[in-house]
Amino acid sequence: MMVQSVLEKYRWLATSPVRFASVEVLDSEHFSVDGKVVEKAALPPEACGSNPGSLRTLNFLADRWKFIQLQLFNSLVYYAAFGDDIVFDTLELSLRSLLDIGQYQGDIAVFTNSAGVAHLEQMKRELPLTGDFSIEVLDDCHSEVDFYLSRFRFYDRAFFKSRQPLLYLDVDILCNKPVESLLVDLAFSPAIHVAPEGRLNEGNDNSSGHWYGWRMMEADGMEFDRHQRGFSSGSIGYGNSSVACEYARLIMQVAQAYRKETGQDRPFIGYDQCLANYIFLKANIRRFELIGQAVTLHRIKENNLALFPSERRGFIHFLAVPFPIKFEAMKIYNQDMRKKIQEESL
């Protein structure tokens, strides 16, 4: 029995033009990649293993001299869910939109604590999954700040290794169009992609720096413009797990050191945003394209839950109200969106 190569086991993106590559084993010595014959001896040694490890790109020759470059496509979309039943109801609604409307076929992971495992086990049985579904339990996750930081607790998790790309989503995000083209674009990017939100100084030079971390930037002596845009940490796209793990580890190190030095969680209770804004901006790795173009930040009007933006860019993030109200608005939007998609297909 021939050992399955990395080339066969994983999906790959061919470059110029960008497309998914078709791979076929012709015999024990030859492969076909998009119809071009490749001698097994011409492949990099890593391509014949069963695990890509840190491998992100394969370069080799076909038909004796034709250069081929393939990018690994091993996507992961992940969430973090803690607390009341309504949080898990909201997550399930989000996941169903990702799988049905988003037509996502890759792997999914959800961070939770021991109290959330039963909810996720039930979802795993009931969702129309096409990829793996990993429940990532954080036993030392108890406080609100822990919940915020959980989205960066993946850097030492085996399920997150060798991913290209990774996409984090808050549970209060619905998908409203197919996602694969966005994931392909992310896989070719060395940056970290996010959606722009308010000004760094929150519109007030006397603000606490609660949301976007500008007080931390100031204390560090960074050069920055208080009037430039901060970003929402509700959706974060990483090109690959090497970049993702490096910066997730940095965020956790800074968070722990800051809390130890100051003895404070506040004014940075929104650790998920202020630390990421500070670190990503200082490293000049933050980009607003891709996720910024795909995500609509929707602030719900409590007196009109059915008031929605008409465009479907990829994702809609529901904000500004407690979970029970948010969930009701998401249900209304979900029903309305599915009805419109059905009408468009007629």
Side-chain angles (χ1 to χ4, degrees):
M1 179 178 177
M2 186 186 299
V3 176
Q4 189 180 39
S5 72
V6 168
L7 198 63
E8 299 168 85
K9 184 176 180 181
Y10 294 91
R11 296 177 75 189
W12 293 88
L13 291 165
T15 58
S16 188
V18 174
R19 65 203 180 279
F20 283 101
S22 62
V23 178
E24 181 183 359
V25 179
L26 300 178
D27 54 46
S28 61
E29 299 299 328
H30 299 86
F31 291 89
S32 171
V33 179
D34 276 350
K36 295 181 173 62
V37 176
V38 180
E39 293 183 6
K40 187 176 180 181
L43 293 172
E46 297 91 341
C48 299
S50 59
N51 190 320
S54 61
L55 187 64
R56 295 287 173 264
T57 304
L58 282 177
N59 295 323
F60 52 88
L61 303 181
D63 299 334
R64 302 295 182 186
W65 63 270
K66 296 175 183 176
F67 169 59
I68 290 181
Q69 182 178 78
L70 300 180
Q71 291 282 118
L72 176 68
F73 189 83
N74 185 23
S75 62
L76 176 64
V77 177
Y78 74 101
Y79 296 79
F82 305 88
D84 298 334
D85 291 353
I86 190 69
V87 173
F88 291 90
D89 292 340
T90 306
L91 169 63
E92 183 174 358
L93 193 62
S94 179
L95 284 167
R96 289 192 182 279
S97 74
L98 176 70
L99 297 167
D100 299 340
I101 306 301
Q103 301 173 21
Y104 179 65
Q105 299 179 8
D107 296 342
I108 294 169
V110 183
F111 281 107
T112 193
N113 54 12
S114 56
V117 172
H119 288 285
L120 296 178
E121 291 286 4
Q122 183 174 346
M123 281 187 221
K124 189 174 182 177
R125 292 190 295 268
E126 296 178 353
L127 288 169
L129 300 167
T130 54
D132 291 335
F133 186 97
S134 179
I135 301 171
E136 301 286 325
V137 181
L138 299 173
D139 292 325
D140 57 343
C141 197
H142 309 288
S143 71
E144 188 177 10
V145 173
D146 292 336
F147 300 162
Y148 283 130
L149 285 170
S150 63
R151 71 199 67 199
F152 303 115
R153 294 278 298 275
F154 58 81
Y155 57 85
D156 57 354
R157 297 271 164 161
F159 195 71
F160 286 72
K161 302 299 182 185
S162 304
R163 296 293 179 174
Q164 184 163 302
L166 302 89
L167 176 62
Y168 169 78
L169 297 174
D170 273 357
V171 301
D172 51 4
I173 292 177
L174 290 179
C175 186
N176 55 24
K177 64 181 288 188
V179 301
E180 191 161 86
S181 62
L182 169 64
L183 295 173
V184 168
D185 287 340
L186 285 173
F188 281 92
S189 175
I192 298 174
H193 293 267
V194 289
E197 199 171 23
R199 282 164 39 177
L200 283 184
N201 70 346
E202 302 153 34
N204 177 4
D205 285 341
N206 295 317
S207 74
S208 66
H210 177 87
W211 293 111
Y212 308 114
W214 78 271
R215 291 289 186 186
M216 298 185 80
M217 300 174 195
E218 185 178 66
D220 187 24
M222 272 180 62
E223 292 185 8
F224 67 97
D225 179 358
R226 297 182 191 180
H227 298 96
Q228 72 182 103
R229 303 286 290 279
F231 65 82
S232 165
S233 65
S235 50
I236 307 175
Y238 305 92
N240 60 67
S241 55
S242 295
V243 170
C245 289
E246 177 181 358
Y247 286 94
R249 186 188 301 273
L250 278 170
I251 285 173
M252 292 303 301
Q253 289 175 334
V254 171
Q256 291 160 3
Y258 179 86
R259 293 169 75 175
K260 184 176 181 180
E261 179 179 340
T262 65
Q264 295 178 338
D265 287 340
R266 276 201 168 281
F268 302 106
I269 192 72
Y271 268 110
D272 55 320
Q273 289 196 167
C274 67
L275 289 174
N277 271 268
Y278 161 56
I279 290 173
F280 295 174
L281 183 62
K282 187 168 188 181
N284 194 29
I285 199 167
R286 179 214 69 186
R287 300 291 183 271
F288 285 150
E289 62 266 24
L290 301 186
I291 294 295
Q293 295 163 2
V295 176
T296 299
L297 301 179
H298 174 56
R299 298 192 177 276
I300 301 169
K301 306 293 185 183
E302 287 192 50
N303 58 349
N304 192 346
L305 298 184
L307 182 65
F308 304 118
S310 59
E311 60 182 348
R312 297 202 302 268
R313 301 167 60 189
F315 299 96
I316 179 168
H317 190 176
F318 292 78
L319 304 169
V321 294
F323 261 98
I325 300 173
K326 187 180 296 187
F327 182 57
E328 289 304 315
M330 291 173 68
K331 286 196 297 184
I332 295 169
Y333 178 83
N334 185 58
Q335 293 168 358
D336 182 60
M337 173 184 60
R338 290 174 183 275
K339 181 180 178 182
K340 287 179 180 177
I341 291 174
Q342 187 176 25
E343 290 172 350
E344 292 168 359
S345 66
L346 295 177

